[in-house]
Amino acid sequence: MLGGMAPASHPPAATRLFTCPMHPEVRQAGPGACPICGMALEPMEAAPDDKEDAELLDMTRRLKAGALLAGPLLLLAMGDMLMGHPLRHAVGARLFNGLQLLLATPVVLWCGWPFLVRGWASVRSGHLNMFTLIALGTGAAYGFSVAATLSPAWFPDSFRDTHGQVEVYFEAAAVITVLVLLGQVLELRARARAGGAIRELLDLAPRTARRQSPSGADEQVPLEEIRPGDRLQVRPGEKVPVDGVVLEGTSWVDESMLTGEARPVQKERGDPVTGGTLNTSGGFLMEAQRVGDDTVLSAIVRMVTEARRSRPPIQRLADAVAGWFVPAVLLVALVTFAAWAWAGPEPRMAHALLSAVAVLIIACPCALGLATPMSIMVGTGRGARAGVLVRSAAALEAMEKVDTLVVDKTGTLTLGRPRLESVYSLGSGPREGDLLRLAASLERASEHPIAAAVLDGARRRGLSLEQASDFRAHPGRGVTGSVAGRRVALGNATLLSELEIDPGPLPARAEALRARGETVILAAVDGQAAGLLSVADPVRRSAVPALEALRAQGLRIVMATGDDATTAAAVAEALGIEEVEAGVLPEGKTDLVERLQAQGRRVAMAGDGINDSPALARADVGIAMGTGTDVAMETAGVTLVRGDLEGIARLRRLSQGVLGNIRQNLLLAFLYNVLALPVAAGALYPFTGLLLSPMLAAAAMSFSSVSVIGNALRLRRLPL
């Protein structure tokens, strides 16, 4: 599990689970190499106190040692060759080659040891990968050179130059090893930067909190000691330690870590506050409600981590290519060797060896494997910083193709915080105060925003509520139950009809209220119509510009609501929405999504309530508003922390940016291999007389991986 936000909740590296960025199905306790591709594993859970990656430190140490030895070796070998081998002739070929052997051996056998081990492991497991090619290439160049140094007499004339000497390639083996190490170091650093979004999120939480004791004194305690119900003091400039509610005081809180917008929000008594947000001015006393793994910040970290390990459908292409890529490269290397050995210029075998090694080294499938995971990793982190939490990469890919958006009204187009506007009693039943008391007592068991409005209205009027029993929710129609021995029903005309209750004059009065955009709740007590309650849910100020932005992106907007047609039409007119589905039950929203899909539409559904969950699950992309219920957020593929339509526009831009970046990466990787392999095999030699040096092949191989990662990192600055 992702622990809470305190450092102590994270297990040590030896017991933490590690996974591969290219193969998320690989999981093991502690660091190591992926048994499929050989890449260094990374922790599945980021911790705020993570030190620098041990793999990166080890590779950096080997790189420095290798460069220290490979530099003189390259100067020695290349300088002597360019000057006509004066040093080799002066000291003798065997002694000269022996000096190169002394310099190259630590580089190949110690600095490059991880590559040799991973290459051998790939052969044993049958999962041929980039390290198979690296180990074969450097091993062939080094092994050939050792044999040529120790036993030159074994080699026939086809291996000898015009001076009768057998060339050695120690400098190629050593420099290739150093260049591959350099590529690994750059890749590991870039991967660490790509995962920085999670560490930034973890760092948002303070390590301690100021807890108020029963005596009123403050004490500084570690965050992991905070429990629900604790009273916490938050001073100006401090971060809110956990999720809770303000008890005393007024302040302005910067919630940009949730919304992506640095506009402080005023907080006063009764307002919720979120752990990790910054208290900019004023102090307040709060009550802790959700701590550790239950906080919003922990949920955000958990979702981002899950998204990083998910794989979009577009990855299937790369997976299919990678499955046959390495065997194909081995075949190309063998054909290249055979062609040069049969028809190449003298020394034919030397040319054959160099060309085959160049093919093995340059054809690294790492860039192809990293093309998608790196974009997903960086893109989901960028979305999290803007308040767009993507649960799976498949949802992100599907969002790019969405052409129809179905939006629930309450909590999505509106604030989701309805306010009680009026209470009307027929007179033959309970008076207005008693009617509101009965209604609020029953609604205490409901999570619907309208229920919250009724409860808030009762509290503001100072009414004392009672315990309800036999509570039953009728999705899309209302609720029933018993309060103080009286049977109470709250809902729409359909509910009263099902209960065979005559609504009397209530529908006519309700229609007039609905024309003003208010939602009306009909009330019945003991089987008789008793009155009605009306609530108004203000339209979000951001809804109109957000809808305009979505329409500009080519989306068809459909509003679906359980409200009656009159109320729905009033809200739709205010928002400029032309397509409205009113009086829709939960199953009706699902039917609407399926009907649109049957028309060939790619549908996204945005909602915030439990009754939206089936439709969220059925849509191509389910979008839950972060202000809604946990059930909706667990069902949806995407959660918008702030919970408004601006987040959907951001999600759309994020999807387009990430998918475009993935396509660029795949194109880079494919073009690199399509162009590089023939050049390494010697396709240009008949026209230019040039052969690609294995050292240049190693540099190109490293550059391909780094270029893909660098392109993915551009998503950190994607404008949303």
Side-chain angles (χ1 to χ4, degrees), residues 259-382:
T259 65
E261 299 178 3
R263 292 202 299 257
V265 179
Q266 187 175 20
K267 298 291 182 179
E268 53 190 17
R269 183 178 179 180
D271 287 338
V273 286
T274 305
T277 55
L278 178 65
N279 181 32
T280 60
S281 62
F284 59 86
L285 182 68
M286 63 172 287
E287 178 185 312
Q289 292 183 332
R290 294 190 291 187
V291 302
D293 289 344
D294 296 329
T295 63
V296 169
L297 185 55
S298 287
I300 291 174
V301 172
R302 193 158 48 243
M303 291 183 70
V304 175
T305 304
E306 290 173 358
R308 285 180 58 186
R309 296 195 297 269
S310 62
R311 297 163 75 81
I314 197 173
Q315 177 68 18
R316 294 170 188 160
L317 174 62
D319 290 342
V321 172
W324 55 260
F325 187 80
V326 174
V329 170
L330 292 174
L331 179 61
V332 171
L334 288 173
V335 171
T336 299
F337 184 89
W340 279 94
W342 176 62
E346 296 294 346
R348 288 178 289 118
M349 299 303 291
H351 283 122
L353 178 64
L354 283 178
S355 298
V357 169
V359 167
L360 292 172
I361 295 299
I362 204 168
C364 171
C366 186
L368 186 62
L370 285 172
T372 299
M374 288 301 300
S375 297
I376 294 297
M377 184 185 302
V378 181
T380 52
R382 174 68 185 96

Side-chain angles (χ1 to χ4, degrees), residues 385-519:
R385 290 195 297 273
V388 179
L389 305 182
V390 180
R391 182 176 295 278
S392 71
L396 195 62
E397 179 175 343
M399 187 64 198
E400 186 198 35
K401 302 178 179 68
V402 163
D403 54 25
T404 304
L405 174 64
V406 177
V407 289
D408 178 54
K409 178 181 77 68
T410 304
T412 305
L413 295 170
T414 62
L415 290 176
R417 294 192 296 271
R419 182 182 178 89
L420 183 67
E421 293 293 327
S422 63
V423 180
Y424 170 73
S425 172
L426 281 176
S428 58
R431 295 184 177 181
E432 290 183 359
D434 290 334
L435 180 62
L436 178 56
R437 179 179 57 81
L438 292 172
S441 297
L442 181 61
E443 293 282 25
R444 289 171 71 180
S446 174
E447 291 186 349
H448 198 281
I450 291 178
V454 174
L455 283 168
D456 182 65
R459 291 194 184 101
R460 283 190 283 110
R461 299 188 187 194
L463 299 179
S464 178
L465 304 185
E466 309 210 25
Q467 190 66 39
S469 60
D470 300 327
F471 177 86
R472 181 184 175 191
H474 303 263
R477 300 184 297 281
V479 295
T480 57
S482 297
V483 178
R486 308 190 73 174
R487 293 291 301 167
V488 181
L490 302 171
N492 54 25
T494 303
L495 177 64
L496 266 60
S497 176
E498 290 177 357
L499 298 175
E500 299 181 352
I501 297 174
D502 181 9
L506 294 180
R509 187 176 184 89
E511 192 66 17
L513 295 172
R514 292 186 186 114
R516 303 197 322 231
E518 296 180 20
T519 298

